[in-house]
Amino acid sequence: MCGIIGYLGPRNATSIILNGLRRLEYRGYDSAGIAILSNDGIHVTRAVGKLSNLESRLQQGGDSPPFATRDAPHSMGIGHTRWATHGGVTEHNAHPHLNDAGTIAVIQNGIIENFIELKGELQAEGIRFRSETDTEVIPHLVDLYMKAGMPFVRAAFAAIVRLQGSNAVVMMSAQEPDKLIAARLGNAGGIVIGINPDETFVASDIPGILDYTRNVIFLEDGEVAIAQAGRVSVYRLDGAPVSKQRHVIAWDPVSAEKGEYRHFMQKEIFEQARAVTDTLRGRVNFETGEVTLESLEAGVKNAEKFPARIHTVACGTSKHAGLIGKFLIERIARVPVEVDYGSEYRYRDPLIEPGLAVLGITQSGETADTLAAMSIGKARGAQVWAIVNAIGSQAERMATGVIHMRAGPEIGVCSTKTFLTSIVDQYLLACALAQRANVQTFERSNADPFSLARDLAHLPGLIGQTLKPDPIYEVLANYFHDRRHFLFLGRGINYPIALEGALKLKEISYIHAEGYPAGEMKHGPIALIDETMPVICVAVQDGVYEKMISQIEQVKARGGIVIAIATEGDGFIRQKADYVINVPAAPELLTPVLTAIPMQRLAYEMAVRLGCDVDQPRNLAKSVTVE
Ligand code: G6P
């Protein structure tokens, strides 16, 4: 996860920024850099690897006097720890990035979805790029606007408005040495701004500035801050000023970690765009669509090891992710996939034949049933792979090939961001397998594994849109929190989302809920439907949309209450359902990543309304290490 730090004030900016970056080290990174404004302009020093490398470069003089001070009453700088997304792990790809004259420095988190278009435009103006990153378009764009006569702040706004996707951006200009500009677009990267009477801090995460201040504001999607020493003005992208509420972060480390959120689950739901950005980082070349899964490379590249079939083994939420993965891997890579509960697989004497890969999906990497199922595969000669969040866990150690979820720490017992990231991992796996095998998929034009991988560039942005504030969740929780039964229906790739929706609700609000493939409703659950029964239907505009509409009509005909999760702009479904929760339009194979989010948000609101212990629901554990 990229880390961002900025400082403007009387203290030494270099040491404050380095300390902030150190506080964010736990999120992981592969290179780091810092830009300091000095009397003679901006000085940038960057280094691949650990922060200690950057520090020694600075001590050796770096690209400039290391602890440069200015005659001005304050010192200013920005720093960044990078996880590579666009372009390899090299010094010239590390942030900050500069314009040609080196007068504007920029750091960024996230993916600029339209960077190819912007880069082309800038290259046509004769601008030469020094890195392979998407970030570098920003300083050049700002520069272009400044050359056209705009002052820095206006030029920065004009450039920020042109960025598509979910991003957090911080920049400074040598021409306006008293301002840092920070922007948050979408939800892939947060921005917190700490304010003391004579100094201002900017960071991607609270721990980065906690040593210095507890008074903070958080930027929302589409807000830009102009930070000066000791004061901050915030505007929307259209220039309208926003009045921000100041928060005081409590001293205890747990509340500090939760930041602006009430519960870890809520925080984890809202950091999913960012988690997915991390999952994608460095794995997709968004220009060619090629997917590289380094830790699986050996297995996937070697033709003999290309699996003839896959057995996915998992428990709970991870099992539901596996069911979506079956759909993805079969559809994209045409490799047959069977999905089983770890607890069943281990006792059913599974058919393990040559060419089989057993894929364990587990956020904790310690679930006893999943580990037992994986070890059966291993003992009988299958290659064993793991999709896992916890680094160094048993599942990771047992597997020969690993794909990390990179969701970051998940504290809430109820899995949220590990669900989304494990779906994305399987999407990547499916594309990687298809690309290596040159699979002729049944709908080549729609399922070309290179263009499917390129679709992923839009995913953090789409997740961000799905996380926008929406009063519908509170409305539904207020109306329905006293119901004792819910039915969840979905079909096709969104059928496992119905299972996951029911699981979320029962786990944290203790309401009985069942998830069903919609076509099965007529074989039993339909008998339960009456005017007291809320039925949540995933009915996005995909290949089974009409089928879902007819299920909705059947529920309505029996007096049931329909809450539809539908594609934004679908006016037709509004005439059919009682309530509609919108998700943005997306390529069909990515829709479950979005439809999962309303399930999480709804379950969360219900549990809060019922006063349940959201983060630690009764009788449940985050890691189930016993049978
Ligand atoms: C527990 C957790 C669930 C999780 C399941 C599987 O029941 O409460 O959230 O889905 O274990 O965990 P795993 O770590 O294997 O994904």
Side-chain angles (χ1 to χ4, degrees):
M1 178 64 225
C2 298
I4 280 178
I5 300 285
Y7 178 74
L8 183 55
R11 295 195 243 186
N12 182 302
T14 308
S15 52
I16 286 185
I17 291 165
L18 286 174
N19 183 51
L21 293 177
R22 224 172 280 121
R23 297 281 176 211
L24 300 182
E25 262 192 309
Y26 72 99
R27 295 195 168 273
Y29 61 100
D30 50 42
S31 51
I34 185 167
I36 296 290
L37 184 63
S38 186
N39 283 339
D40 55 346
I42 293 175
H43 294 271
V44 173
T45 305
R46 299 177 293 190
V48 166
K50 289 285 149 204
L51 270 181
S52 51
N53 298 350
L54 178 69
E55 281 164 325
S56 20
R57 290 288 309 280
L58 282 164
Q59 268 147 21
Q60 289 152 19
D63 299 342
S64 66
F67 292 91
T69 48
R70 307 173 56 246
D71 292 336
H74 57 257
S75 116
M76 177 162 86
I78 55 180
H80 188 263
T81 43
R82 172 180 191 245
W83 271 115
T85 49
H86 290 75
V89 182
T90 61
E91 196 177 306
H92 67 269
N93 282 336
H95 301 208
H97 291 284
L98 300 169
N99 60 326
D100 268 347
T103 50
I104 301 157
V106 178
I107 52 181
Q108 185 247 355
N109 271 355
I111 296 173
I112 302 172
E113 290 176 17
N114 57 334
F115 99 98
I116 296 173
E117 175 198 320
L118 294 174
K119 190 171 175 176
E121 202 180 294
L122 290 161
Q123 282 169 328
E125 296 282 337
I127 292 165
R128 282 192 27 242
F129 278 72
R130 283 173 285 207
S131 76
E132 286 103 53
T133 65
D134 52 348
T135 309
E136 199 189 333
V137 299
I138 306 173
H140 292 308
L141 261 185
V142 177
D143 192 25
L144 201 67
Y145 293 134
M146 286 178 81
K147 282 183 178 141
M150 290 187 196
F152 173 54
V153 172
R154 264 189 65 205
F157 264 77
I160 290 164
V161 164
R162 299 215 47 207
L163 307 178
Q164 284 171 16
S166 269
N167 298 286
V169 180
V170 179
M171 62 176 104
M172 64 183 193
S173 159
Q175 273 139 350
E176 301 225 15
D178 61 340
K179 288 186 190 80
L180 276 179
I181 296 189
R184 173 175 177 172
L185 304 171
N187 292 297
I191 290 279
V192 56
I193 300 177
I195 309 157
N196 283 345
D198 57 352
E199 58 188 351
T200 302
F201 307 81
V202 178
S204 51
D205 308 272
I206 296 164
I209 56 174
L210 265 190
D211 287 340
Y212 308 108
T213 183
R214 305 271 149 175
N215 298 307
V216 301
I217 60 169
F218 297 97
L219 289 192
E220 300 297 329
D221 175 12
E223 289 180 351
V224 184
I226 301 174
Q228 291 179 279
R231 64 198 160 99
V232 177
S233 318
V234 179
Y235 301 88
R236 270 193 270 282
L237 288 179
D238 61 8
V242 187
S243 142
K244 298 295 291 182
Q245 195 200 337
R246 287 210 188 180
H247 297 259
V248 179
I249 303 292
W251 279 95
D252 75 284
V254 173
S255 328
E257 262 282 297
K258 270 194 274 196
E260 66 199 293
Y261 298 103
R262 215 171 135 190
H263 298 100
F264 279 107
M265 180 183 175
Q266 188 190 25
K267 172 175 181 268
E268 286 152 8
I269 289 173
F270 282 91
E271 64 193 16
Q272 291 183 107
R274 184 166 154 173
V276 165
T277 307
D278 282 351
T279 309
L280 297 176
R281 157 175 57 74
R283 289 168 165 173
V284 186
N285 177 331
F286 289 112
E287 282 170 86
T288 62
E290 193 183 340
V291 174
T292 312
L293 293 169
E294 266 177 25
S295 43
L296 267 185
E297 277 302 82
V300 179
K301 263 190 184 157
N302 183 339
E304 289 144 42
K305 286 191 177 174
F306 190 91
R309 72 198 70 80
I310 294 173
H311 285 178
T312 300
V313 291
C315 302
T317 291
S318 293
K319 160 86 171 6
H320 298 153
L323 289 171
I324 294 166
K326 170 183 167 70
F327 208 98
L328 294 170
I329 296 167
E330 292 190 343
R331 179 89 172 257
I332 300 171
R334 310 308 286 158
V335 176
V337 181
E338 225 183 84
V339 187
D340 207 349
Y341 295 104
S343 53
E344 286 298 316
Y345 192 84
R346 63 188 292 188
Y347 294 119
R348 79 168 160 87
D349 192 12
L351 283 171
I352 296 180
E353 291 167 340
L356 178 78
V358 173
L359 169 65
I361 304 178
T362 165
Q363 50 85 22
S364 65
E366 303 291 346
T367 303
D369 287 323
T370 303
L371 291 172
M374 289 167 69
S375 63
I376 286 178
K378 190 171 185 125
R380 298 197 192 166
Q383 52 175 328
V384 176
W385 296 346
I387 291 181
V388 66
N389 198 40
I391 294 172
S393 59
Q394 285 204 60
E396 176 175 343
R397 296 201 300 274
M398 189 191 300
T400 46
V402 178
I403 312 175
H404 290 112
M405 294 178 192
R406 298 177 178 168
E410 190 176 70
I411 312 292
V413 165
C414 188
S415 295
T416 51
K417 58 180 180 168
T418 54
F419 181 60
L420 257 60
T421 51
S422 53
I423 298 172
V424 174
D425 270 350
Q426 291 175 92
Y427 189 104
L428 289 168
L429 175 62
C431 290
L433 289 171
Q435 291 174 5
R436 301 298 183 276
N438 196 17
V439 169
Q440 194 68 38
T441 46
F442 71 99
E443 266 181 314
R444 184 81 205 178
S445 57
N446 293 335
D448 164 30
F450 293 91
S451 81
L452 286 173
R454 280 197 298 270
D455 285 346
L456 288 165
H458 305 288
L459 192 55
L462 293 168
I463 295 170
Q465 287 176 45
T466 317
L467 287 166
K468 277 199 276 207
D470 190 341
I472 185 79
Y473 297 104
E474 229 179 294
V475 168
L476 292 172
N478 282 337
Y479 283 173
F480 296 115
H481 67 277
D482 56 352
R483 301 298 157 100
R484 295 321 301 151
H485 308 280
F486 274 73
L487 185 61
F488 288 73
L489 300 175
R491 201 155 182 173
I493 196 167
N494 279 296
Y495 142 57
I497 295 297
L499 303 184
E500 178 63 4
L503 178 61
K504 292 297 91 170
L505 189 64
K506 71 180 93 155
E507 270 182 313
I508 57 168
S509 67
Y510 319 138
I511 295 171
H512 169 236
E514 284 199 57
Y516 254 88
E520 277 292 294
M521 184 178 72
K522 55 189 173 291
H523 300 295
I526 200 164
L528 297 171
I529 292 172
D530 61 17
E531 58 289 345
T532 66
M533 178 68 124
V535 184
I536 302 195
C537 300
V538 189
V540 287
Q541 285 167 333
D542 57 9
V544 289
Y545 175 70
E546 276 81 21
K547 304 281 168 204
M548 281 306 303
I549 294 289
S550 90
Q551 301 297 332
I552 287 173
E553 274 165 352
Q554 289 183 45
V555 174
K556 286 308 301 168
R558 281 149 192 91
I561 305 152
V562 172
I563 301 164
I565 294 172
T567 308
E568 208 158 359
D570 181 352
F572 182 65
I573 206 157
R574 293 201 167 268
Q575 301 160 22
K576 306 277 169 193
D578 298 283
Y579 302 90
V580 176
I581 304 177
N582 287 317
V583 294
E588 178 168 4
L589 298 184
L590 291 177
T591 55
V593 178
L594 305 182
T595 55
I597 295 170
M599 301 299 189
Q600 301 165 346
R601 293 181 74 179
L602 186 60
Y604 175 79
E605 281 303 330
M606 296 281 259
V608 169
R609 185 72 182 69
L610 288 165
C612 299
D613 185 348
V614 174
D615 285 332
Q616 298 201 309
R618 69 184 182 209
N619 308 337
L620 295 176
K622 187 77 192 158
S623 173
V624 184
T625 54
V626 292
E627 189 176 350

